[in-house]
Amino acid sequence: MNMLYDSDSFVVVHMQPVADLHTAEDGSQQPQLARHGFEIVDKRSGKEVYLDGSWAEMFQQQILAWQLNAPTEQEVEDTLDGYVGLAQNPVVIH
């Protein structure tokens, strides 16, 4: 887990995969598909969204573009605000 962004409105965390093995039906140990994702927390609404798969890949491309172009905080916030509609899960501390 790696925190990428933290502001008054948002937190973005990169969830990195941990290599793991699972037992196949034949009893052999098989590597499990390791996938990464991003958790975006909207502090204003108290909701979060987890991006994985193709959503995570698209978001990764956005991060790479930000690294090249050094956006303003407002540009980052505007982009993250576009993901707020996907945020359906309330933030729960467990």
Side-chain angles (χ1 to χ4, degrees):
M1 184 167 77
N2 185 22
M3 185 176 302
L4 302 178
Y5 185 76
D6 188 8
S7 72
D8 290 340
S9 300
F10 296 99
V11 171
V12 178
V13 177
H14 184 201
M15 308 298 244
Q16 297 166 320
V18 175
D20 198 9
L21 295 176
H22 72 279
T23 304
E25 289 181 19
D26 65 2
S28 64
Q29 293 290 311
Q30 302 290 323
Q32 189 171 4
L33 179 63
R35 296 176 71 171
H36 73 102
F38 297 92
E39 181 179 44
I40 301 173
V41 176
D42 179 0
K43 293 178 179 180
R44 302 164 300 179
S45 69
K47 293 186 178 180
E48 62 90 18
V49 62
Y50 185 76
L51 306 175
D52 68 348
S54 60
W55 281 100
E57 296 304 321
M58 289 187 311
F59 193 71
Q60 179 70 43
Q61 293 300 315
Q62 180 64 61
I63 290 170
L64 293 173
W66 284 338
Q67 290 173 341
L68 293 174
N69 299 322
T72 65
E73 182 176 346
Q74 187 60 50
E75 290 170 327
V76 171
E77 297 273 322
D78 289 346
T79 300
L80 294 175
D81 202 39
Y83 289 94
V84 170
L86 299 173
Q88 301 298 317
N89 302 322
V91 175
V92 178
I93 298 179
H94 44 135

